[in-house]
């Protein structure tokens, strides 16, 4: 592997502007009735979340009481494109202070990514403000936007080396991603292109979102065209509705963020054992299980039979679940965002039964795997 400086020189971050709606200090009720109700991402700016967007440099965090010595489990890789499916990283446990020094050191040849986990990681999700009480000195969570405290699920600290890319994945909870230091590019894929993301569990197998392998992943181009893009700066809060898959690149230098996962569905709709906010809702997991068993049954038949029955099943899914009309509605909502006019309507317009069969088959191949994102 080439030294980090050479890797970076060959892989400049590509950005093409931003087409995610920005709202400045919305009233919580307005946010709930418009953006959250439409299920579209938005950047909320100007919120009073404390001093953290000004103070939280890596060296400042390392000076806080109880932070530098706390052990954290870090993704470490020589490759800036972290890839969950091919596992091109290892987990290394190190003191938080050491991680903060490493992401600040441009001569370090490794790339580091922390996604903090629970105090008892097999039993509970991360609660960053309880685990790092000194964070509360500078950071106030915008809890007015998740309705009630009962909707809160977890709070996760994210620290990243400059230029590191986090693989495309979806989460099952709604999310407020609070950028606190450095800049970050986030690509957001609407739920309507789930069948074009080549998901394995909650992660996409498409490694390079800017120059993907077109032969292996022919449908990904459609997803990439439909993706929204935003550059986050300190103080920005990105609302990511559940099931909007995302891909994140730290730009220009290290990044520090904290995100809060919160429930959109009633609590009873989620499995009780979810550590990372990415376990599918109970009804969805059960549907995917039935589909896996449908696949096993259809595999007993010759190809023309499989195609026929997959077509019948896909058409039934479309009509009974209102998928086609929902796609049209989503396309209309997405078309409201600047620069996305035409793009999303083209990308999300009905793909017909063939497209649906492909999407359904892609869904059929989904296997849930517990993964950290
Ligand atoms: O910002 C990051 O590093 C990743 C964000 C993310 O995946 C999330 O908040 O769910
Ligand atoms: Fe995520």
């Amino acid at each position: 592997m080439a030294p980090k400086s050479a890797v970076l020189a060959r892989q400049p971050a590509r950005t093409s502007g931003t087409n995610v709606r920005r709202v400045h200090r919305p009233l919580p009720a307005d946010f709930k009735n418009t953006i959250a109700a439409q299920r579209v991402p938005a950047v909320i700016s100007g919120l009073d979340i404390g001093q953290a967007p000004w103070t939280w440099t890596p060296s400042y965090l390392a000076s806080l009481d109880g932070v530098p010595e706390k052990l954290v489990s870090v993704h470490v890789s020589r490759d800036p494109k972290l890839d969950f499916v091919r596992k091109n990283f290892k987990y290394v446990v190190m003191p938080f202070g050491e991680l903060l020094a490493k992401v600040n050191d441009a001569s370090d040849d490794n790339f580091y990514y922390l996604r903090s986990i629970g105090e008892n990681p097999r039993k509970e999700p991360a609660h960053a403000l309880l685990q790092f009480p000194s964070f509360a000195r500078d950071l106030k969570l915008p809890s007015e936007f998740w309705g009630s405290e009962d909707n809160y699920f977890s709070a996760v600290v994210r620290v990243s080396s400059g230029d590191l890319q986090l693989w495309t994945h979806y989460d099952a909870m709604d999310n407020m991603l609070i950028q606190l230091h450095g800049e970050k590019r986030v690509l957001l894929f609407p739920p309507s292109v789930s069948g074009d993301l080549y998901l394995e569990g909650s992660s996409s197998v498409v490694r390079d979102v800017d120059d993907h392998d077109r032969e292996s992943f022919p449908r990904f181009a459609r997803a990439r065209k439909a993706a929204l893009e935003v550059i986050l700066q300190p103080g920005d809060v990105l609302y990511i509705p559940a099931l909007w898959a995302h891909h994140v690149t730290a730009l220009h230098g290290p990044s520090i963020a904290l995100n809060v996962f919160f429930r959109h569905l009633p609590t009873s709709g989620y499995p009780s054992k979810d550590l990372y906010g990415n376990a599918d809702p109970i009804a969805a997991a059960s549907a995917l299980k039935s589909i896996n068993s449908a696949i096993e049954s259809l595999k007993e038949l010759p190809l023309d039979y499989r195609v026929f029955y997959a077509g019948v099943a896909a058409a039934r899914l479309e009509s009974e679940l209102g998928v086609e009309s929902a796609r049209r509605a989503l396309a209309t909502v997405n078309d409201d965002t600047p620069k996305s006019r035409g793009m999303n309507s083209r990308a999300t317009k009905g793909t017909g039964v063939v497209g649906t069969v492909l999407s359904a088959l892609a869904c059929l191949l989904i296997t849930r795997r517990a993964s950290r994102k």
Side-chain angles (χ1 to χ4, degrees):
M1 177 75 68
K4 188 169 171 181
S5 48
V7 172
L8 296 188
R10 277 191 278 111
Q11 301 180 325
R14 267 185 244 168
T15 59
S16 59
T18 178
N19 52 8
V20 173
R21 181 184 308 183
R22 271 189 174 264
V23 279
H24 190 67
R25 301 179 63 158
L27 288 172
D30 288 343
F31 170 80
K32 180 169 172 244
N33 296 331
T34 56
I35 291 155
Q38 289 174 345
R39 317 287 305 145
V40 271
V43 175
I44 311 176
S45 59
L47 294 182
D48 176 12
I49 52 170
Q51 293 296 308
W54 289 269
T55 54
W56 275 30
T57 60
S59 28
Y60 175 79
L61 273 199
S63 76
L64 291 177
D65 273 356
V67 171
E69 62 277 20
K70 186 109 176 166
L71 293 180
V72 286
S73 171
V74 180
H75 301 67
V76 180
S77 178
R78 294 297 297 268
D79 184 341
K81 294 187 176 78
L82 288 192
D83 182 337
F84 186 77
V85 176
R86 295 169 197 86
K87 291 277 182 334
N88 63 350
F89 56 84
K90 47 191 183 5
Y91 293 106
V92 179
V93 174
M94 63 179 82
F96 202 161
E98 190 179 323
L99 167 70
L100 291 162
K102 285 178 186 300
V103 296
N104 236 0
D105 176 2
S107 68
D108 193 312
D109 279 346
N110 286 310
F111 293 85
Y112 301 90
Y113 185 76
L114 168 68
R115 180 242 185 269
S116 71
I117 54 180
E119 203 63 25
N120 184 346
R122 284 177 201 283
K123 292 225 165 112
E124 56 172 1
H127 297 297
L129 288 193
L130 296 178
Q131 295 170 279
F132 300 94
S134 52
F135 285 180
R137 191 201 291 178
D138 301 288
L139 182 63
K140 186 169 96 45
L141 299 181
S143 52
E144 61 278 21
F145 291 102
W146 46 90
S148 100
E149 267 312 306
D150 290 348
N151 293 337
Y152 164 91
F153 174 77
S154 66
V156 180
V157 190
R158 300 185 181 259
V159 176
S160 170
S161 295
D163 294 278
L164 181 134
Q165 302 196 7
L166 184 67
W167 64 88
T168 306
H169 66 275
Y170 72 89
D171 299 299
M173 300 266 171
D174 276 10
N175 187 357
M176 290 288 183
L177 174 59
I178 308 169
Q179 185 64 18
L180 295 165
H181 175 77
E183 290 188 18
K184 207 175 245 179
R185 179 188 77 163
V186 186
L187 297 176
L188 296 144
F189 300 88
S192 55
V193 297
S194 58
D196 300 322
L197 290 174
Y198 300 87
L199 293 169
E200 269 187 23
S202 58
S203 300
S204 169
V205 303
V206 181
R207 183 186 137 73
D208 191 333
V209 291
D210 293 311
D211 186 17
H212 68 278
D213 172 351
R214 281 162 198 274
E215 223 160 89
S216 307
F217 309 116
R219 297 193 317 279
F220 185 75
R222 197 177 83 100
R224 187 63 183 81
K225 260 193 203 156
L228 303 183
E229 173 172 343
V230 66
I231 310 280
L232 296 182
Q233 296 184 322
D236 286 342
V237 177
L238 174 63
Y239 167 61
I240 310 178
L243 310 184
W244 278 76
H246 38 283
H247 178 277
V248 183
T249 306
L251 303 173
H252 316 308
S255 161
I256 300 174
L258 186 142
N259 81 285
V260 174
F261 287 120
F262 56 100
R263 296 179 188 87
H264 167 235
L265 305 175
T267 307
S268 59
Y270 297 96
S272 54
K273 280 207 180 89
D274 177 12
L275 298 172
Y276 305 114
N278 64 356
D280 290 316
I282 293 171
S286 136
L288 292 177
K289 205 166 157 210
S290 313
I291 285 171
N292 281 336
S293 106
I295 293 181
E296 290 312 309
S297 304
L298 289 175
K299 271 187 187 162
E300 291 168 19
L301 295 167
L303 185 62
D304 52 336
Y305 290 68
R306 290 191 230 162
V307 168
F308 179 87
Y309 287 107
V312 169
R316 211 181 274 177
L317 282 173
E318 285 242 324
S319 62
E320 306 239 344
L321 297 178
V323 172
E324 189 58 37
S325 50
R327 277 211 184 99
R328 273 197 297 272
L330 275 173
T332 314
V333 169
N334 296 340
D335 277 356
D336 279 353
T337 56
K339 277 185 63 190
S340 65
R341 256 170 267 280
M343 182 170 79
N344 288 307
S345 54
R346 195 168 57 244
T348 52
K349 225 178 241 161
T351 50
V353 169
V354 173
T356 312
V357 169
L358 291 172
S359 305
L361 288 174
C363 288
L364 300 184
L365 297 174
I366 289 178
T367 50
R368 289 297 308 153
R369 286 198 288 168
S371 56
R372 296 175 181 180
K373 269 134 268 123

